[in-house]
Amino acid sequence: MDSRELLIKSALGGETPRPPIWLMRQAGRYMAEYRNLRKSNSFMELCHKSELAAEITLQPIRAFNMDGAILFCDILVTAEALGADVEIVEKQGPVIANPIDKEGDLHSMPPTEEAVGSLGYVAKTIGMIRNELGQKKALLGFAGAPFTVASYMIEGGSSKMVPQTFKMINESPELFAGLMSRLTDLTIKYVEMQREAGVDAVQIFESWASLLPEEMYLKHVFPHLKRLVESLHHPEKPLILFALATNSLWQHLGQLPAQVLSIDSSHSLGNFRKLYPEKALQGNLDSRWLLGSRANLLTEVDRILAEMSDRKGYIFNLGHGITPKTPVDNVKALCDHILGQ
Ligand code: 1CP
């Protein structure tokens, strides 16, 4: 079974001879090849220039031979397509110079068709990646979930407390709902475009699900995520739902028709297997193991493999992204270990 079959089959819940592997943030700052290209280009330029984005996508595959390549891009390109002025600032992360704070900001956004048209460079990148990657490796696309992207558009950047978003939900609920609807409409079209361009599976990143009280999330955010996931459900092109969420919020997220739940390292894969027997699971090695000794890393990987020893509906991954200080040798050892199972 080649890598592509392995990944699609496990994502759809099937039995495989070994778990497939790919790693969140597998392309990026921990690789010298990436840092080299980054020296002469801003991060957003790397996303916009299809040749460069395709090259970066392939760097980890050449170095570590994972089963899946993930499109190199960022979740904030949907914000950008709706008019956000996005920049990734060194040591600070994303900064948006024109945050949303009034009804007029919604009216000045381009219509969905125009916004998705402006993301055509991503389809071009996907075509170039597929050409180089061939048919035997899986290609994953992705998009940010509406709330995670909205939080950046409202806060103007990264925020641990999302105070402006909290305020907008409570004091201008129509404005918040309007923004969420626009993002949901665009994200549906954007993922459809990625599928047409050739991705095998798509991961939706709801990284900031736990920044709101649960009741508020369920009332103001969940209906939009539900519409997104239901619209994008496809029996052969799996959807992977990644969220940083509590067990209690997962009880709701886990009911959505995404075939795969991608869980962070605070949860137990074995427990999720019991709770969601219908779902494939992805995760959840703590990325900090990659910063330590090889022996400890592989002992932990073996513990996870033993937990998921039924070899059914399981994709090996991290609980969240690789961190920039990760030694490449440890990534190589991890991938070799899984590929050799
Ligand atoms: O300075 C640099 O060179 C930029 C660092 C960087 C990279 C490598 C950013 C800025 N984005 C990315 C790539 C990226 N982002 C990918 C590429 C594919 C891969 O190899 O996995 C993906 C899937 C993302 C997704 C992403 N971007 C998320 C969801 C996943 C997560 O980490 O929770 C989020 C929240 C973002 C926003 C963002 N963009 C960049 C950074 C550093 C961040 C997170 C910052 C923050 O904490 O708010």
Side-chain angles (χ1 to χ4, degrees):
M1 205 179 278
D2 65 39
S3 287
R4 192 180 186 186
E5 285 178 278
L6 266 182
L7 204 139
I8 298 172
K9 193 165 181 198
S10 341
L12 294 174
E15 216 171 310
T16 53
R18 66 165 174 85
I21 178 172
W22 72 276
L23 303 173
M24 284 185 261
R25 291 279 171 91
Q26 65 191 25
R29 288 169 291 183
Y30 77 103
M31 290 187 76
E33 297 91 322
Y34 172 82
R35 293 195 300 272
N36 239 346
L37 284 178
R38 179 76 167 83
K39 273 185 209 150
S40 43
N41 296 275
S42 74
F43 174 76
M44 293 313 285
E45 279 169 349
L46 294 180
C47 294
H48 295 159
K49 295 181 183 168
S50 294
E51 287 81 2
L52 295 181
E55 164 61 23
I56 295 170
T57 303
L58 295 163
Q59 285 172 348
I61 307 299
R62 291 191 200 113
F64 315 112
N65 199 28
M66 290 92 172
D67 295 297
I70 179 157
L71 163 71
F72 181 80
C73 195
D74 195 74
I75 60 165
L76 295 175
V77 296
T78 47
E80 193 178 51
L82 289 176
D85 187 355
V86 181
E87 209 187 320
I88 306 292
V89 177
E90 206 69 48
K91 299 209 161 64
Q92 190 182 341
V95 174
I96 293 182
N98 53 345
I100 304 282
D101 62 2
K102 56 186 172 307
E103 209 58 45
D105 295 335
L106 280 191
H107 301 310
S108 53
M109 284 177 178
T112 303
E113 288 306 320
E114 189 181 323
V116 82
S118 72
L119 290 164
Y121 64 90
V122 176
K124 183 174 167 204
T125 305
I126 290 169
M128 295 176 83
I129 300 167
R130 180 57 84 195
N131 267 342
E132 290 266 324
L133 191 64
Q135 302 300 317
K136 297 198 167 152
K137 294 272 180 200
L139 176 55
L140 294 115
F142 73 92
F147 172 71
T148 293
V149 177
S151 75
Y152 286 94
M153 294 175 84
I154 300 166
E155 304 296 330
S158 247
S159 166
K160 290 200 163 63
M161 295 289 288
V162 294
Q164 301 303 328
T165 312
F166 189 96
K167 186 166 186 245
M168 188 189 287
I169 293 173
N170 291 299
E171 295 177 14
S172 318
E174 293 88 8
L175 175 57
F176 181 74
L179 175 60
M180 291 291 286
S181 295
R182 289 301 320 272
L183 276 166
T184 305
D185 291 344
L186 174 60
T187 309
I188 292 169
K189 296 278 177 227
Y190 177 51
V191 168
E192 286 170 350
M193 181 189 84
Q194 293 188 26
R195 281 178 171 161
E196 277 163 33
V199 301
D200 298 307
V202 171
Q203 179 151 320
I204 302 295
F205 284 97
E206 182 66 304
S207 303
W208 307 138
S210 61
L211 299 189
L212 291 180
E214 186 173 310
E215 300 78 9
M216 209 188 278
Y217 185 91
L218 291 176
K219 181 166 176 207
H220 295 276
V221 174
F222 188 71
H224 299 275
L225 184 65
K226 183 168 186 281
R227 176 162 77 88
L228 178 85
V229 174
E230 287 176 351
S231 309
L232 290 173
H233 176 79
H234 188 293
E236 281 132 42
K237 296 184 185 183
L239 268 186
I240 307 170
L241 180 60
F242 167 84
L244 295 182
T246 57
N247 269 314
S248 129
L249 190 54
W250 269 116
Q251 286 182 16
H252 301 273
L253 301 175
Q255 303 308 316
L256 298 176
Q259 288 93 340
V260 188
L261 307 181
S262 186
I263 61 175
D264 73 77
S265 313
S266 69
H267 297 288
S268 142
L269 282 165
N271 187 37
F272 263 62
R273 183 59 101 212
K274 286 189 208 112
L275 290 170
Y276 306 99
E278 313 289 294
K279 299 288 190 186
L281 298 176
Q282 175 177 278
N284 71 346
L285 177 74
D286 193 311
S287 58
R288 289 171 291 189
W289 289 109
L290 284 164
L291 303 173
S293 83
R294 182 88 37 92
N296 285 347
L297 164 66
L298 296 183
T299 303
E300 174 61 9
V301 172
D302 283 337
R303 187 195 63 75
I304 293 176
L305 290 174
E307 204 173 6
M308 303 309 283
S309 57
D310 57 2
R311 296 281 193 262
K312 212 170 159 292
Y314 173 57
I315 302 170
F316 193 95
N317 206 320
L318 306 178
H320 201 177
I322 295 189
T323 57
K325 295 220 158 65
T326 301
V328 286
D329 291 351
N330 276 351
V331 178
K332 176 93 175 75
L334 165 62
C335 291
D336 286 348
H337 193 70
I338 301 288
L339 298 170
Q341 292 296 305

